[in-house]
Amino acid sequence: MNTTIGNDPLRRSLLKGSVDLLCLVITTPLTLLFRLVVLLAPGLKETSYQGFTQLLSLLPDPPGVILRRALSSGDLGNTGSA
């Protein structure tokens, strides 16, 4: 009996969803801080977004990529003018 995750699409999907949710929770403080910076200095939205994603890019590949994706999953990626 093979119990690897790669062979079961449902298990793999559930694991990916769980990891994404955990990363979303982990990045919540950064999201709130980003929103505060944008509220206080709207002209710094794009620069702030780049700074927060670069901060997360200091983490090694898989965790850093997943955390940056979680940070960008909200409207943070929308750096255009409102």
Side-chain angles (χ1 to χ4, degrees):
M1 183 166 118
N2 191 355
T3 59
T4 61
I5 293 173
N7 293 339
D8 185 0
L10 179 60
R11 184 180 285 174
R12 183 179 176 99
S13 177
L14 287 173
L15 180 62
K16 184 178 183 296
S18 298
V19 169
D20 286 343
L21 180 62
L22 177 65
C23 288
L24 192 60
V25 169
I26 290 171
T27 58
T28 297
L30 285 176
T31 302
L32 295 174
L33 184 59
F34 172 80
R35 289 176 189 240
L36 179 63
V37 167
V38 170
L39 184 66
L40 296 175
L44 297 177
K45 183 174 184 178
E46 188 171 335
T47 305
S48 299
Y49 175 74
Q50 290 174 357
F52 282 101
T53 55
Q54 287 178 4
L55 176 68
L56 291 175
S57 73
L58 295 173
L59 298 172
D61 280 337
V65 169
I66 295 169
L67 287 171
R68 284 193 306 276
R69 185 176 65 213
L71 183 67
S72 299
S73 68
D75 61 11
L76 299 186
N78 182 11
T79 57
S81 57

